[in-house]
Amino acid sequence: ASDVYKRQELVKAAKGFACEIKIGKGGNMVDAKKIFGIMGLGAKKGDTVEFTFSGEDEEQAYTAISDFMSANL
């Protein structure tokens, strides 16, 4: 699948949770529920990205997003 499709799938996965989910590269953190923020990071396959999770279902979100990233990148 293309990088654009994977980014869209990441946004869909993140939107399934109530907690705040941020993704970042090089210290720049953006909302993982917004496709334009993710695209603006310019992250490519093989780049190191960081996630933060904050809220009521953060542990479930961490598990789901970690699984997604392992399967797709």
Side-chain angles (χ1 to χ4, degrees), residues 1-16 23 31-40 43 65 68-69 72-73:
S2 73
D3 285 347
V4 172
Y5 177 75
K6 289 177 185 175
R7 290 179 188 132
Q8 290 170 338
E9 290 300 305
L10 174 60
V11 169
K12 281 186 195 175
K15 284 184 174 181
I23 181 174
D31 187 343
K33 297 178 182 181
K34 299 193 178 188
I35 189 69
F36 291 112
I38 292 174
M39 290 172 65
I65 298 297
F68 174 86
M69 294 299 287
N72 290 284
L73 303 171

Side-chain angles (χ1 to χ4, degrees), residues 15-66:
K15 284 184 174 181
F17 298 95
C19 68
E20 179 182 82
I21 304 172
K22 298 275 189 182
I23 181 174
K25 176 184 163 196
N28 181 23
M29 300 296 287
V30 299
D31 187 343
K33 297 178 182 181
K34 299 193 178 188
I35 189 69
F36 291 112
I38 292 174
M39 290 172 65
L41 286 176
K44 294 178 178 55
K45 187 172 185 172
D47 288 351
T48 299
V49 294
E50 173 185 352
F51 284 90
T52 60
F53 302 85
S54 179
E56 60 186 72
D57 56 358
E58 61 189 33
E59 290 182 23
Q60 296 92 330
Y62 168 79
T63 299
I65 298 297
S66 294

